[in-house]
Amino acid sequence: MSHSDSFIEEVTDEVRRDRLFGYLRKYAWIAISIVVLIVGAAAYNEYRKGQQTAMAEATGDAIYAAVEQNENSARIAALQALEPESKDAALVIDFLLASHQVVENQNADAAATLDKIANGSDENMPEIYRQIALFKSVVAQGNEMPLAERRTVLEAMAIPGAPLALLAQEQLALADIEEGKIDEAIVRLNAIIIDSGVTAGLLRRATQLIVALGGEIPALAAGQTATE
């Protein structure tokens, strides 16, 4: 290679380096900004996760402290005083509150607490929670709820395949008994105990109720009860 060629190549390389450094000086702030944004976003995400974890732990501790009160009335007061920021925590608190209100025979208050869940505006709440709250509200109100209204709500929940269908049928059987419709109640109870989805507790209650009403237990269900 001649000296002239070597000189031209060195000049070309120098020009390339100058251009590269020029680009770096001109656009380096963009790269630095991207790095800062990435690092900042990661740091904020970790900070937010830490805050959420701390908040969840504090809420859990507060709920535990509330239900550990010696008196049921004190538990109710402590649960009512909680102000959770999380909707999930509020849901847990309301279900606990309603349970303690029932124990304290505050049935109307329990129903109001449960109705707040069932009729809540949270579109992300799973439907099963609304159904459970509605069912518990009906049970809590008992005879204080007009029988016709009670039947309407329970019949809507007793549709085959519904998650609380058998429990709703049990309550409808009790409504039949309340109205003196003993035969209808026995038929409904027999349908419950031969259902493949019946739980051990519900099977036992339905069987005992049939016997108390003077009804006959289907042979299949009688054998199933004997094995419980």
Side-chain angles (χ1 to χ4, degrees):
M1 180 181 295
S2 64
H3 291 293
S4 60
D5 291 339
S6 177
F7 175 76
I8 292 172
E9 185 175 340
E10 288 180 4
V11 171
T12 302
D13 290 339
E14 189 66 28
V15 170
R16 288 174 179 171
R17 282 195 294 270
D18 288 343
R19 287 179 178 175
L20 177 60
F21 290 142
Y23 288 141
L24 288 176
R25 285 193 297 269
K26 185 175 182 180
Y27 299 110
W29 67 272
I30 297 177
I32 293 173
S33 298
I34 292 174
V35 172
V36 170
L37 286 173
I38 293 174
V39 173
Y44 174 75
N45 190 44
E46 289 300 318
Y47 171 75
R48 188 181 61 178
K49 286 182 179 179
Q51 276 194 321
Q52 290 175 340
T53 300
M55 183 176 66
E57 291 176 350
T59 301
D61 291 342
I63 294 174
Y64 180 78
V67 298
E68 282 294 297
Q69 298 291 324
N70 293 328
E71 301 293 333
N72 194 57
S73 57
R75 298 186 193 110
I76 292 173
L79 287 168
Q80 289 176 327
L82 296 178
E83 296 181 357
E85 297 183 14
S86 166
K87 292 181 179 179
D88 291 339
L91 181 65
V92 172
I93 290 169
D94 284 339
F95 271 121
L96 286 172
L97 175 59
S99 297
H100 289 295
Q101 287 171 328
V102 169
V103 172
E104 202 68 14
N105 292 321
Q106 298 176 0
N107 295 328
D109 291 339
T113 301
L114 292 164
D115 288 342
K116 183 176 68 173
I117 299 173
N119 302 320
S121 59
D122 184 5
E123 297 180 355
N124 295 322
M125 180 190 298
E127 182 61 26
I128 183 60
Y129 294 152
R130 297 184 189 277
Q131 293 291 308
I132 292 172
L134 182 59
F135 177 80
K136 285 179 172 290
S137 175
V138 173
V139 173
Q141 293 178 73
N143 295 337
E144 297 175 5
M145 186 177 188
L147 183 57
E149 183 180 348
R150 207 186 322 157
R151 277 191 177 279
T152 299
V153 175
L154 290 171
E155 285 172 357
M157 302 177 71
I159 297 173
L164 303 179
L166 294 182
L167 291 174
Q169 288 287 0
E170 180 187 24
Q171 292 299 314
L172 285 170
L174 295 176
D176 289 335
I177 296 171
E178 187 178 333
E179 289 187 299
K181 300 176 180 178
I182 305 303
D183 292 341
E184 288 88 337
I186 292 175
V187 170
R188 199 184 297 273
L189 291 166
N190 278 329
I192 291 174
I193 63 179
I194 64 174
D195 192 285
S196 60
V198 66
T199 62
L202 179 54
L203 174 63
R204 182 172 56 255
R205 293 196 305 273
T207 302
Q208 292 173 346
L209 193 51
I210 291 173
V211 172
L213 294 173
E216 294 184 0
I217 303 172
L220 177 61
Q224 185 178 358
T225 305
T227 60
E228 292 294 335

